[in-house]
Amino acid sequence: MMKNIFLLFLVLATVSCKKSAVAKVDDKNVELAKERDVKYENLPVISFDKASYDFGTIDEGDVVESTFMIKNVGKSDLIIKNAKATCGCTIPDWPKEAIKSGESAPMKVKFNSRGKRNKISKTITLTTNTEKGREYVKITGFVTPKENK
């Protein structure tokens, strides 16, 4: 039984190898690919003035804030559906209205260092209507712990 299956596989492999690559192309798939490419070339494209912000060294309990400028360099409106940080100590305030092609809008990010110590790295994930669907910015820094008295 195994010998028959192997022989059948060998015959099919030999026959399929004799077709040219062009003969294997399905015209329907080519048309679908063209439609997909047109769709993607009209999507919004997000650009940030900076991918990350290093707030340096702060004392535990300090609150720091930074603004990321978001620019739509694509061809259609950019919509940010949500922005979420890796923990509740970091709060993003993102544009709720669509950002038109060629326009910019600020996203403020506030970090509360209460209860945080040492090296900090927080990622903010934006859920968007871009090709990737998710975009990221990051804040980093160092929090000097309070001395226990």
Side-chain angles (χ1 to χ4, degrees):
M1 179 72 173
M2 282 301 278
K3 187 176 177 182
N4 290 341
I5 292 173
F6 177 73
L7 287 173
L8 178 63
F9 176 75
L10 187 59
V11 169
L12 289 174
T14 305
V15 170
S16 68
C17 289
K18 291 186 181 186
K19 286 185 178 180
S20 73
V22 173
K24 293 179 184 179
V25 174
D26 182 352
D27 291 336
K28 182 179 176 186
N29 288 339
V30 171
E31 286 305 313
L32 289 172
K34 284 181 186 176
E35 290 174 21
R36 180 200 63 221
D37 292 346
V38 167
K39 176 182 168 189
Y40 283 128
E41 92 184 13
N42 290 321
L43 285 175
V45 177
I46 197 167
S47 174
F48 297 99
D49 66 334
K50 58 189 171 216
S52 65
Y53 171 70
D54 183 349
F55 56 78
T57 301
I58 61 173
D59 293 325
E60 183 180 349
D62 288 352
V63 176
V64 291
E65 189 174 297
S66 182
T67 300
F68 292 85
M69 286 305 294
I70 299 168
K71 184 170 185 175
N72 180 1
V73 294
K75 295 182 179 177
S76 60
D77 289 358
L78 171 65
I79 298 169
I80 301 172
K81 299 171 190 163
N82 193 13
K84 193 172 186 178
T86 49
C87 84
C89 61
T90 306
I91 309 294
D93 181 17
W94 71 95
K96 308 302 189 281
E97 300 295 321
I99 303 171
K100 302 276 184 208
S101 177
E103 293 184 1
S104 298
M107 177 178 70
K108 291 184 181 179
V109 176
K110 193 180 287 191
F111 171 72
N112 184 343
S113 68
R114 184 181 54 184
K116 306 296 178 202
R117 297 175 173 189
N118 303 317
K119 185 171 171 50
I120 300 296
S121 178
K122 304 295 177 186
T123 300
I124 297 90
T125 303
L126 288 79
T127 305
T128 67
N129 64 332
T130 60
E131 182 178 357
K132 289 190 264 181
R134 296 208 188 307
E135 307 289 341
Y136 305 92
V137 293
K138 183 184 271 191
I139 61 168
T140 60
F142 188 87
V143 178
T144 304
K146 283 185 179 179
E147 290 185 33
N148 292 333
K149 295 185 179 183

